[in-house]
Amino acid sequence: EEHVTALFAIPKSTKSSAGHLRHVVDAVTAHLSAMLSLGEYEGITNAMLIHMVMERVDVESQVNGKSQWTTVSCQHGMSALQF
């Protein structure tokens, strides 16, 4: 989950910059490679979806939502979303 959080935390560029573009590409490549060493694309996709959902709902919904969906641990600490 740390790699997914780090991907979403990469700052948006405010102006055209080859250096920033290089930083973004390098960061995404590094985090994707690390995640692939822990699991497959399906697990990565699930982890990203979980992160996106949890970031976009309020705290109460995060707590109450656990009764509607659950995350299950997969290989190497990655999570999957089940409804």
Side-chain angles (χ1 to χ4, degrees):
E1 291 182 29
E2 292 174 21
H3 292 291
V4 173
T5 301
L7 282 173
F8 283 95
I10 295 172
K12 183 177 180 178
S13 180
T14 57
K15 58 185 173 183
S16 180
S17 165
H20 187 267
L21 178 59
R22 181 81 249 162
H23 168 74
V24 170
V25 170
D26 289 346
V28 169
T29 301
H31 289 296
L32 180 59
S33 294
M35 289 187 292
L36 284 172
S37 74
L38 298 173
E40 297 180 3
Y41 279 107
E42 183 179 349
I44 294 168
T45 303
N46 284 335
M48 293 178 85
L49 288 171
I50 291 167
H51 178 82
M52 289 172 57
V53 168
M54 298 308 279
E55 287 290 311
R56 284 163 177 75
V57 297
D58 61 282
V59 175
E60 184 179 345
S61 295
Q62 289 177 9
V63 172
N64 292 336
K66 290 183 181 180
S67 65
Q68 297 174 9
W69 71 74
T70 57
T71 57
V72 292
S73 295
C74 295
Q75 285 183 324
H76 308 291
M78 298 195 78
S79 299
L81 189 61
Q82 290 185 336
F83 293 94

